[in-house]
Amino acid sequence: MTPLSALLVREIRVATRIGGGALIGVLFFLTVVTLIPFAIGPDLTLLKRVGPAILWLGALLASLLTLDRLISADQEDGSLDLILMTDTPLAVTLAVKAFAHWLTTGLPLVIAAPILSLLLNLDLAAAMAVTLTLLAGTPGLTFTGLIGAALTLSLRRGGLLMSVLVLPLTIPTLIFGVASASAAIGGTPLGPPFAILCALTLIGAVIGPFAASWALRHGQE
Amino acid sequence: MMLSGKGLACQRGGRMVFSGLDFSLRAGQALPLTGPNGAGKSSLLRLLAGLLPAAAGRIDFKGGSPERSLGEQAHYLGHQDALKTQLTVLENISFWASYMRGTLAGDDALTAVGLCELANVPAAYLSAGQRRRLSLARLVAIQRPVWLLDEPNASLDDSAQKILSAMMRDHLKRGGLIIAATHAPLGIKSARELRLGRAR
Amino acid sequence: MAIINFANPARFLTFADRVLPWVAGAAVLVLAYGLYLVVGAPGDYQQGDTAKIMFIHVPSAWLAMMAWGVMSMAALGTLVWRHPLADVTAKAAVPIGAAFTLICLVTGSLWGRPMWGTYWVWDARLTSVLVLFLMYLGLAALWRAIEDPSRAARAAAILTLVGAVNLPIIKFSVEWWNTLHQPASVLRLGGSTIHPALLTPLLVMAAGFLLLFTTLLLAAMRNEIFRRRIRTLQMMKALGARG
């Protein structure tokens, strides 16, 4: 196996075995989406209107809150030292780790989105639109969150601080994600907001791993 | 092959751990690091591994691969074993062997350290000594000329110590370099030792 | 034979091996008979044959709640007597209870579709079942988060009992919330008046579901005991090896 495929397999195994974090994100997503109607009421027309926003907020929180262990687990058991001592560029390693995290946490969110759309009274077209925008947007969230995970690595209780640091960075993705979903629901083609959403994800995939690798290299002590 | 340090200094948390440190060793030589706790043995090893920045001084490594850093040509055996408890013993070593471009298959490396019968046991069930053996398997699975070992004897039983000594002798015979922080004798011949500590 | 005799995992295994085929066979027969009765039962005067999904929906709802009851009793066994078989029962019941809850949700949603015009309204009963489903999933996640089974069992037992106390409160709150908001639809699933001609098939189906639950629980407990034996064997192997 090449170094990177070995890393991908290892990350997926660790996430899906006992004690791993896969599927906890999707459970969080389900819970948040279920809670919101209790707060704003079961009015189906209202839920239909705010449904895409609820799904996007839930997916955003679920993507980011599960990220805090992504690098710190490797630091605690000493794996990070060895990872730093290889000729595989650190940014590439981090990108693979983030991708594995998206496969085990982000992709389940995308798959769950159509089912949760039913709860929010979205019709099929709207559910598909939200799912498509989540598919395009959640990898960007993970790559952006990676920066926070690297920055807060040496802190205790870094998880909460990480969210505070990263959530503002995810605002563009949220804006264009919800906007493109709403555009699709309104009957207009996905168009420019969706293109911008895809662009944001691609930018995140480039900037995230590099920024995170700089944060790790400079945070060493 | 030759590894040397000149005027090395290391600062951690604003405190100077050591300064003005010189050493050099050639292919086939081992350098034990001794000294009291807090003298900077672990810091020196991490510094050589590229895991800590040096506050002053320079490290020279001649005869290795020029496009790689010293850390990329060195094994670092720290206090942590770099194991994932969710994975089996074989999955752990196979991952490192693939990720660090090792030459030996995972199960052969396990045989070398006497762990092959535990290949399919989750690493969570291993004792401290067995975890240490599994770290040693990395040294044989992946060929790297410089070994930076931090208390390699810790929690090893007699038979594992013998395996480690044999591994180190083998490595030196092939022209490798070893720097090891240690309290106990390593069981290999070394010309001299480097003693760290402020009371010099 | 006293129940305490089965408390020994080895005895339980021989008991389960002997009983399982019979319970499984009985479950198949009773469910087949129940389905035969359901096919013959009269359709609802308003909803026609759609209402027959009730014969799956209602027993699953009962079983979903009963499974939590079984887990709560097992939780007492875990916390008070520290009994390993209680741990095994509690763990084995989680996915089965969650599955019945999911069946209840899906059938309820399908049943409501022609009436509501949509697959889901925030109907008080269905919403309570959804919350129950969330709690099952949370419990499953807790079991998966802790590697040591006896530690996991104690944590899960506490959550189960807290849940057992809270579920009625949640149900009450959800109903209050629902009446407060006066939902768009006044239709309520599984109303309390059931025509006698429908009662017999319903009870037969419920009995079939109960037998199915017992079969699944026994099989899952057996698997869990085997899983724990494998774990113990692996730990012994690590202990016996050098180093």
Side-chain angles (χ1 to χ4, degrees):
Chain A
M1 259 197 280
T2 66
L4 292 178
S5 57
L7 180 66
L8 187 67
V9 170
R10 173 226 203 200
E11 292 293 313
I12 291 172
R13 275 185 183 149
V14 168
T16 50
R17 300 242 169 114
I18 284 195
L23 298 185
I24 293 190
V26 77
L27 184 54
F28 179 86
F29 186 32
L30 178 58
T31 312
V32 168
V33 171
T34 308
L35 281 186
I36 284 171
F38 290 121
I40 65 175
D43 180 358
L44 288 182
T45 47
L46 176 65
L47 286 177
K48 187 175 190 150
R49 196 149 49 82
V50 297
I54 294 175
L55 289 172
W56 255 95
L57 267 180
L60 190 146
L61 293 176
S63 297
L64 294 181
L65 295 182
T66 49
L67 264 174
D68 64 323
R69 297 288 296 154
L70 182 63
I71 306 177
S72 62
D74 273 340
Q75 189 196 33
E76 278 163 25
D77 65 21
S79 302
L80 186 61
D81 290 342
L82 303 187
I83 286 174
L84 290 168
M85 290 172 67
T86 54
D87 53 358
T88 309
L90 183 57
V92 177
T93 293
L94 290 175
V96 170
K97 279 180 74 74
F99 178 62
H101 184 270
W102 181 79
L103 282 181
T104 53
T105 306
L107 192 58
L109 299 178
V110 176
I111 294 169
I115 301 158
L116 297 187
S117 300
L118 286 181
L119 298 182
L120 298 171
N121 195 34
L122 299 186
D123 51 33
L124 187 67
M128 285 306 122
V130 174
T131 308
L132 185 64
T133 55
L134 283 178
L135 182 65
T138 44
L141 295 177
T142 307
F143 284 119
T144 311
L146 186 63
I147 305 173
L151 279 174
T152 56
L153 186 60
S154 51
L155 303 175
R156 287 190 175 278
R157 304 194 44 79
L160 208 54
L161 180 59
M162 191 202 105
S163 317
V164 175
L165 299 180
V166 170
L167 283 174
L169 301 179
T170 61
I171 289 173
T173 303
L174 182 64
I175 290 175
F176 288 100
V178 177
S180 51
S182 306
I185 293 165
T188 50
L190 285 166
F194 188 70
I196 296 177
L197 177 69
C198 295
L200 286 172
T201 294
L202 292 175
I203 292 170
V206 174
I207 291 180
F210 278 105
S213 72
W214 290 331
L216 278 189
R217 293 261 184 220
H218 290 282
Q220 279 171 50
E221 216 264 323
Chain B
M1 222 180 287
M2 184 166 155
L3 175 63
S4 60
K6 262 204 172 59
L8 287 176
C10 174
Q11 210 170 14
R12 298 195 78 170
R15 185 178 73 94
M16 199 59 99
V17 186
F18 55 77
S19 58
L21 191 82
D22 301 322
F23 73 91
S24 79
L25 76 163
R26 248 184 282 279
Q29 284 186 330
L31 181 69
L33 302 178
T34 58
N37 290 337
K41 302 190 291 290
S42 298
S43 299
L44 176 58
L45 289 175
R46 290 184 68 80
L47 197 150
L48 291 173
L51 299 170
L52 270 183
R58 50 177 290 137
I59 302 166
D60 276 315
F61 182 49
K62 292 190 196 105
S65 137
E67 69 267 25
R68 291 182 172 200
S69 72
L70 174 56
E72 287 161 13
Q73 302 175 66
H75 269 301
Y76 171 65
L77 196 69
H79 291 293
Q80 294 144 318
D81 295 307
L83 303 179
K84 290 286 174 213
T85 51
Q86 295 100 325
L87 304 181
T88 67
V89 168
L90 182 61
E91 283 168 347
N92 266 298
I93 185 65
S94 299
F95 162 67
W96 285 120
S98 306
Y99 184 70
M100 298 173 87
R101 302 179 202 276
T103 45
L104 202 59
D107 32 7
D108 293 332
L110 289 183
T111 312
V113 296
L115 274 181
C116 59
E117 53 183 318
L118 296 184
N120 294 316
V121 169
Y125 305 157
L126 298 189
S127 69
Q130 287 162 343
R131 295 170 63 96
R132 204 69 183 159
R133 277 177 194 253
L134 187 45
S135 310
L136 294 182
R138 250 182 10 240
L139 302 181
V140 281
I142 305 134
Q143 295 290 323
R144 288 188 169 192
V146 181
W147 287 8
L148 306 168
L149 313 176
D150 200 348
E151 305 282 357
N153 284 323
S155 65
L156 288 183
D157 62 7
D158 284 349
S159 73
Q161 298 221 9
K162 280 197 190 100
I163 293 175
L164 173 63
S165 304
M167 278 166 50
M168 289 197 290
R169 272 196 298 272
D170 227 41
H171 182 62
L172 295 175
K173 210 176 291 169
R174 281 197 309 262
L177 289 77
I178 297 177
I179 301 183
T182 179
H183 285 296
L186 288 170
I188 47 168
K189 276 188 193 157
S190 49
R192 65 223 130 91
E193 60 175 46
L194 181 63
R195 189 165 170 78
L196 295 173
R198 264 148 288 153
R200 263 180 303 164
Chain C
M1 221 190 301
I3 195 87
I4 198 76
N5 281 347
F6 304 123
N8 175 328
R11 287 226 183 86
F12 172 81
L13 281 183
T14 45
F15 166 77
D17 280 343
R18 209 171 299 154
V19 169
L20 249 179
W22 295 99
V23 187
V28 171
L29 287 179
V30 174
L31 280 176
Y33 179 58
L35 285 176
Y36 168 76
L37 286 183
V38 167
V39 171
D44 188 87
Y45 74 99
Q46 236 180 343
Q47 304 173 23
D49 278 349
T50 321
K52 286 187 180 172
I53 204 167
M54 171 190 88
F55 295 109
I56 292 177
H57 175 75
V58 175
S60 338
W62 288 344
L63 263 292
M65 286 183 280
M66 203 196 80
W68 200 283
V70 169
M71 289 189 320
S72 304
M73 282 192 288
L76 283 178
T78 298
L79 292 176
V80 180
W81 296 287
R82 304 225 158 183
H83 207 290
L85 208 56
D87 300 3
V88 171
T89 316
K91 186 172 184 187
V94 177
I96 305 171
F100 278 113
T101 317
L102 186 61
I103 293 172
C104 177
L105 282 174
V106 171
T107 52
S109 159
L110 291 175
W111 190 7
R113 167 81 176 128
M115 248 58 60
W116 301 325
T118 166
Y119 282 104
W120 185 268
V121 297
W122 292 81
D123 161 84
R125 276 169 196 251
L126 266 187
T127 305
S128 305
V129 176
L130 178 62
V131 176
L132 180 65
F133 183 58
L134 285 180
M135 296 196 53
Y136 269 116
L137 293 185
L139 198 55
L142 181 61
W143 273 107
R144 275 192 62 81
I146 306 175
E147 203 275 332
D148 177 10
S150 59
R151 258 184 59 219
R154 263 170 277 150
I158 291 166
L159 183 64
T160 308
L161 291 179
V162 170
V165 174
N166 262 294
L167 279 171
I169 303 176
I170 293 171
K171 186 159 170 51
F172 164 79
S173 313
V174 169
E175 265 166 20
W176 186 84
W177 164 79
N178 202 263
T179 51
L180 181 77
H181 287 286
Q182 292 173 335
S185 158
V186 286
L187 177 95
R188 307 187 99 210
L189 293 183
S192 51
T193 50
I194 289 181
H195 195 271
L198 302 178
L199 193 61
T200 323
L202 183 63
L203 289 180
V204 174
M205 284 302 282
F209 267 63
L210 188 60
L211 284 166
L212 179 64
F213 175 79
T214 315
T215 311
L216 293 174
L217 184 66
L218 286 176
M221 285 172 72
R222 199 174 56 170
N223 291 349
E224 179 60 21
I225 289 174
F226 286 144
R227 212 172 284 131
R228 285 180 186 210
R229 284 199 175 166
I230 291 171
R231 182 175 180 275
T232 316
L233 286 176
Q234 284 184 327
M235 292 183 90
M236 304 252 288
K237 203 171 171 190
L239 263 183
R242 283 166 301 171

